[in-house]
Amino acid sequence: MVQQEAVVVRNAVKRYGKELVFNDLNMTVSRGSIYGLLGSSGCGKTTLLSCVVGVRHLDSGEVWVLGGNPGSKGSGIPGPRVGYMPQEISLVGEFSVSGAFYYFGRINGLNDEEIETRQKFFSELLQLPSDDHLVKNMSGGQQRRVSLAVALIHKPELLILDEPTVGLDPVLREKIWSYMIQITQEESITVLITTHYIEETKDANKIGLMRCGKLLAESAPQELLAQYQCSFLEEAFLKLCSVQNNTVTLNEAQGSKVEDTGGNVLHQDQNQHCESTKAYLKYEAVSERPVSRLRRFKALLTKNGTQFLRYYGGLIFAVVFPILQIGVFIMAIGDDPKNLKIGVVNEEVENCSSDNNFGNVWNDELTCHFGNLSCRFLHNFDNSIATQEYYEDIPKARLAVQNAKLSGVIYFSQNFSEALQIRVEEATFAKDSDLLASQIQVFLDMGDMQIGYFIQQKLFDRFLKVYEDIMRDCKYSPKLADPPIRFEEPIYGETDLNYADYVAPTYMLGLSFFLAATVSTTLIITDRMEGVWNRSVVQGVRTEEILLSHILIQSIVIIIHTAMIMLIVFPIWGLECKGPIFNVMVLIFLNGFSGLMYGFVLSVMFKNHTAAHYGAAGSFFALVLLNGCMWPVQGMPKVLRWFSYLVPTNLSSVSLRGIIYKGYSISEPEVYIGFLITVGWILLFLIITIFRGRSKSS
């Protein structure tokens, strides 16, 4: 009867770029045995195991695990038939000892009673820390023991351990080996273990000696010692290394005999490989424990929730950061500039500060007379717009503007009041010189355009108000002071709508988008870098399940963000919403959800946090420039304008303005197009994440 083989590797070749990791490698692991894969760091042991468990693929050659290729329907990988302990710790730092046991126990189909029983057993066997001790607070040796325990917890049919005893004391290593011998003999469990400690594999059923990507020998330890007439396995390994250095390896000499330096014969029977290769077809699997998808998904939710709740920086970010951002926006944007200075050159009146010098308007029977009206204008301008500083002449005042001491200069001519009287009473016959003298001349520093436009608008509004008062004092109609154009009450919005009101919808959506993206950008990368992603996938967890569990937990964060934004902007800041407030809330949430999906895309596209954050920061500035917040989309070139319409937060911002300022319902095209575009981006980001996540898991 042919012995069943748990793992069969044939003619395996693996490269990283141009670097050859191993070449034409053959390995056979028999069922119910311990196979020790030995070799120094960098020889390819970890890469070989990652190919066995399906985390990586061979460039050529074949692998059979428990009767099938990894990932195929007949294989035990992925699934609970395999227990996998990677070389890295591969545990969530926020896990407690109990949390790690419950997570790996549940995804492998154990009920809570079984998990609790086995946790007590392994805690005693491996001398684990207390149940509530967090992984991130453990020493390296303690972390490795917990990692080993959770690989053993569900009594897998095949146990793959990558250097589980590194850093452990000899007594504990001996204890672990005794336990492995016991489970292979009593429960027919197969153990494939790599280690640096060559001598500890003396109790293995078979060892494979690996060096520089080559399997130098594959034999029972005692047979290898006898063949090379050595007392220790390390001596045999050194002799095999010497043979390899002379360019003769066992793999290169299949079917032939080569004498080593000691006169012994190295021989590998090729027929044995052929017979073992056929054996996988007759493999009879141990009855597989059914794993409930719902239970597995609950384990993922618990894991992600634990990570979030125990990462206090993330909690602060979720609750406090939106408050800070909205608070800074409210305080920093939209208020009138303060502490401005404007120069005054008044050739009509030397000093307007006198109590009697407020400008005079009086009527006689024939006409209305003006006197020192420059002071009247200056008193009404007062310091609410800018602090007035008097200068003797225009050149000195202009020099002060050039030296950044002033934001502008106001100039009144010597006969300003008289010329203004002529302009009013004799408009048709007034000379150009009188018309020029009746003007208030303003020279502004438009290098700071926003400050310049602010002063310009405020001075113009105040001038019209003072001029209307003068017309009343003259018993004339105040409408004479109105310019020939009149802006009536706007159809939508308010006449005094400031920049903060305009920016608020776009800012709310952009903030929701990038808060969510910032969080999710790190999630998958963290899982991958900690090794939890691959370890979970090997145990049968699907990529879609991991993503969905992250989405549900992070949706709670988005709801918190949405609630904070809504609370601060509307009730506290007092922004009036003329449309359905529920539509506003849903649109902000959807934009946050879109940001969440975008962060996942970045997380699967980049390998580390630094690259992902560079990608997020670069795209952030591009989106801000294109979403119509800094400048209207209508001012962009046509090609760029159409591209900007596809930006996730652009049309949704138009929709939000329509709801807030115009009172539109979702039935209006201007509104529902924003919802449709946002949902479209969510679906696109989700599809990219799933396909990219699958490709990285394979």
Side-chain angles (χ1 to χ4, degrees):
M1 179 178 177
V2 178
Q3 185 183 17
Q4 295 178 354
E5 311 296 358
V7 179
V8 178
V9 180
R10 291 292 174 263
N11 306 317
V13 178
K14 180 64 181 176
R15 291 182 174 85
Y16 287 145
K18 295 182 179 180
E19 182 182 354
L20 185 65
V21 181
F22 49 77
N23 182 32
D24 198 27
L25 188 144
N26 298 291
M27 183 176 74
T28 304
V29 181
S30 300
R31 179 174 178 172
S33 68
I34 299 177
Y35 187 104
L37 185 60
L38 307 178
S40 60
S41 296
C43 70
K45 303 190 305 295
T46 296
T47 301
L48 178 59
L49 291 193
S50 67
C51 293
V52 170
V53 297
V55 172
R56 295 186 178 93
H57 290 308
L58 296 173
D59 292 324
S60 64
E62 294 179 287
V63 178
W64 293 279
V65 180
L66 303 181
N69 298 114
S72 65
K73 188 175 181 180
S75 172
I77 295 180
R81 292 173 63 191
V82 174
Y84 176 48
M85 177 189 172
Q87 191 176 54
E88 301 83 11
I89 300 302
S90 300
L91 297 173
V92 176
E94 288 73 25
F95 271 163
S96 63
V97 173
S98 288
F101 273 98
Y102 275 94
Y103 173 69
F104 285 99
R106 286 167 177 168
I107 66 173
N108 284 294
L110 300 183
N111 59 46
D112 289 354
E113 291 76 15
E114 291 176 302
I115 295 172
E116 186 176 349
T117 300
R118 295 183 187 181
Q119 180 185 344
K120 290 179 181 178
F121 171 76
F122 286 115
S123 293
E124 183 178 347
L125 176 70
L126 300 176
Q127 302 171 19
L128 301 182
S130 60
D131 293 352
D132 59 352
H133 206 87
L134 298 186
V135 170
K136 62 184 178 183
N137 296 330
M138 298 178 190
S139 66
Q142 290 174 324
Q143 291 176 339
R144 188 162 293 278
R145 278 178 271 156
V146 174
S147 182
L148 172 60
V150 298
L152 295 166
I153 186 173
H154 60 293
K155 295 184 179 179
E157 188 177 339
L158 171 63
L159 189 59
I160 299 177
L161 308 174
D162 194 357
E163 299 188 0
T165 58
V166 170
L168 303 185
D169 64 82
V171 175
L172 189 55
R173 290 210 306 268
E174 189 68 28
K175 206 172 183 181
I176 292 170
W177 272 91
S178 298
Y179 178 72
M180 288 193 298
I181 293 170
Q182 178 185 341
I183 60 176
T184 55
Q185 293 176 350
E186 297 178 2
E187 302 177 39
S188 296
I189 290 175
T190 307
V191 179
L192 171 55
I193 180 173
T194 69
T195 180
H196 282 137
Y197 307 114
I198 296 177
E199 292 303 324
E200 77 174 356
T201 60
K202 64 183 183 299
D203 295 322
N205 301 96
K206 186 191 292 186
I207 59 174
L209 299 177
M210 194 171 180
R211 183 170 183 257
C212 300
K214 297 285 186 178
L215 200 63
L216 303 182
E218 188 179 59
S219 176
Q222 297 306 318
E223 292 177 2
L224 196 64
L225 291 174
Q227 182 178 0
Y228 288 97
Q229 300 178 354
C230 298
S231 303
F232 301 101
L233 288 173
E234 191 169 348
E235 293 181 50
F237 185 53
L238 290 174
K239 288 188 176 182
L240 282 167
C241 291
S242 176
V243 172
Q244 187 189 38
N245 290 337
N246 292 325
T247 70
V248 179
T249 66
L250 202 57
N251 286 338
E252 293 172 342
Q254 287 184 0
S256 63
K257 296 182 179 181
V258 181
E259 289 191 1
D260 69 2
T261 54
N264 295 305
V265 178
L266 299 175
H267 179 73
Q268 185 168 349
D269 189 354
Q270 192 173 5
N271 293 329
Q272 182 182 353
H273 277 314
C274 296
E275 187 176 358
S276 298
T277 304
K278 296 175 184 177
Y280 82 94
L281 296 171
K282 301 179 182 179
Y283 193 93
E284 295 180 4
V286 176
S287 58
E288 187 173 348
R289 175 189 296 272
V291 181
S292 165
R293 280 196 171 187
L294 180 59
R295 184 170 178 79
R296 191 165 61 198
F297 188 68
K298 286 181 179 178
L300 286 168
L301 288 177
T302 303
K303 162 192 165 290
N304 294 335
T306 300
Q307 280 181 285
F308 176 69
L309 292 175
R310 287 182 177 162
Y311 180 55
Y312 303 117
L315 283 173
I316 294 172
F317 178 84
V319 178
V320 177
F321 201 71
I323 299 174
L324 291 176
Q325 290 292 315
I326 292 292
V328 169
F329 171 78
I330 291 172
M331 292 185 290
I333 305 296
D335 284 346
D336 291 344
K338 305 292 192 301
N339 301 320
L340 303 179
K341 293 182 180 180
I342 191 163
V344 177
V345 178
N346 189 352
E347 295 183 349
E348 182 181 45
V349 180
E350 183 176 346
N351 185 5
C352 287
S353 61
S354 172
D355 293 338
N356 298 322
N357 231 346
F358 284 94
N360 301 311
V361 177
W362 69 94
N363 271 308
D364 57 23
E365 295 180 359
L366 298 177
T367 187
C368 183
H369 299 276
F370 300 157
N372 295 342
L373 288 186
S374 58
C375 292
R376 186 161 182 167
F377 281 110
L378 289 173
H379 281 299
N380 276 275
F381 292 161
D382 60 46
N383 292 332
S384 63
I385 299 173
T387 302
Q388 299 172 15
E389 293 189 2
Y390 286 84
Y391 287 81
E392 296 177 359
D393 52 44
I394 288 292
K396 290 182 179 179
R398 290 176 68 97
L399 182 62
V401 174
Q402 293 170 0
N403 292 332
K405 295 179 179 179
L406 301 175
S407 296
V409 179
I410 301 175
Y411 170 71
F412 295 91
S413 64
Q414 186 175 5
N415 57 336
F416 170 73
S417 297
E418 296 173 7
L420 185 60
Q421 179 181 335
I422 294 172
R423 187 186 189 104
V424 173
E425 299 291 342
E426 305 175 20
T428 307
F429 306 101
K431 299 177 183 179
D432 289 345
S433 57
D434 291 329
L435 294 176
L436 181 62
S438 67
Q439 293 177 346
I440 303 173
Q441 297 181 43
V442 182
F443 308 89
L444 295 176
D445 176 10
M446 295 302 289
D448 192 335
M449 188 177 66
Q450 292 294 339
I451 298 294
Y453 279 138
F454 166 76
I455 295 176
Q456 186 182 75
Q457 182 64 42
K458 291 295 184 181
L459 289 178
F460 185 74
D461 291 342
R462 293 291 176 90
F463 167 79
L464 291 179
K465 184 179 181 302
V466 173
Y467 200 30
E468 285 179 2
D469 292 340
I470 293 172
M471 292 300 101
R472 284 192 192 92
D473 292 345
C474 289
K475 310 301 182 187
Y476 297 155
S477 172
K479 294 187 180 298
L480 287 173
D482 292 342
I485 185 170
R486 178 179 176 84
F487 291 96
E488 303 292 346
E489 285 297 316
I491 298 173
Y492 294 113
E494 303 293 336
T495 305
D496 59 348
L497 190 72
N498 62 26
Y499 186 69
D501 294 324
Y502 170 76
V503 173
T506 306
Y507 183 80
M508 287 190 289
L509 296 181
L511 179 62
S512 177
F513 184 91
F514 280 102
L515 283 176
T518 302
V519 173
S520 59
T521 296
T522 63
L523 292 176
I524 295 176
I525 293 177
T526 299
D527 273 2
R528 290 188 184 282
M529 293 183 71
E530 289 182 342
V532 179
W533 179 288
N534 284 337
R535 191 169 188 176
S536 299
V537 168
V538 170
Q539 300 306 147
V541 178
R542 299 173 63 86
T543 299
E544 296 84 349
E545 293 172 339
I546 298 175
L547 288 175
L548 184 57
S549 66
H550 278 304
I551 288 170
L552 289 181
I553 295 297
Q554 295 308 314
S555 293
I556 299 173
V557 181
I558 300 173
I559 291 172
I560 295 173
H561 289 167
T562 303
M564 292 292 178
I565 292 171
M566 294 286 293
L567 178 66
I568 297 173
V569 170
F570 293 102
I572 297 177
W573 188 35
L575 183 65
E576 181 186 359
C577 180
K578 295 183 177 179
I581 195 72
F582 178 76
N583 291 351
V584 174
M585 181 174 61
V586 172
L587 191 55
I588 294 175
F589 174 82
L590 287 176
N591 268 264
F593 202 81
S594 177
L596 180 71
M597 294 294 100
Y598 178 65
F600 281 143
V601 170
L602 293 177
S603 198
V604 297
M605 296 296 292
F606 297 101
K607 293 183 178 180
N608 56 63
H609 295 299
T610 302
H613 285 305
Y614 282 153
S619 58
F620 168 76
F621 287 108
L623 288 174
V624 167
L625 292 172
L626 293 174
N627 68 2
C629 175
M630 297 185 66
W631 193 253
V633 175
Q634 290 81 357
M636 300 178 186
K638 189 174 182 179
V639 174
L640 188 60
R641 188 188 316 161
W642 284 107
F643 181 76
S644 71
Y645 285 138
L646 297 176
V647 170
T649 59
N650 193 328
L651 289 177
S652 56
S653 298
V654 175
S655 299
L656 193 56
R657 287 195 199 99
I659 298 171
I660 294 175
Y661 300 127
K662 301 180 181 180
Y664 283 169
S665 68
I666 198 170
S667 60
E668 295 289 337
E670 188 175 305
V671 175
Y672 68 66
I673 190 65
F675 280 85
L676 292 177
I677 288 291
T678 304
V679 172
W681 276 110
I682 290 172
L683 293 176
L684 177 63
F685 289 147
L686 180 59
I687 291 170
I688 294 173
T689 302
I690 290 175
F691 278 96
R692 184 68 176 172
R694 282 178 176 174
S695 67
K696 287 202 170 189
S697 298
S698 61

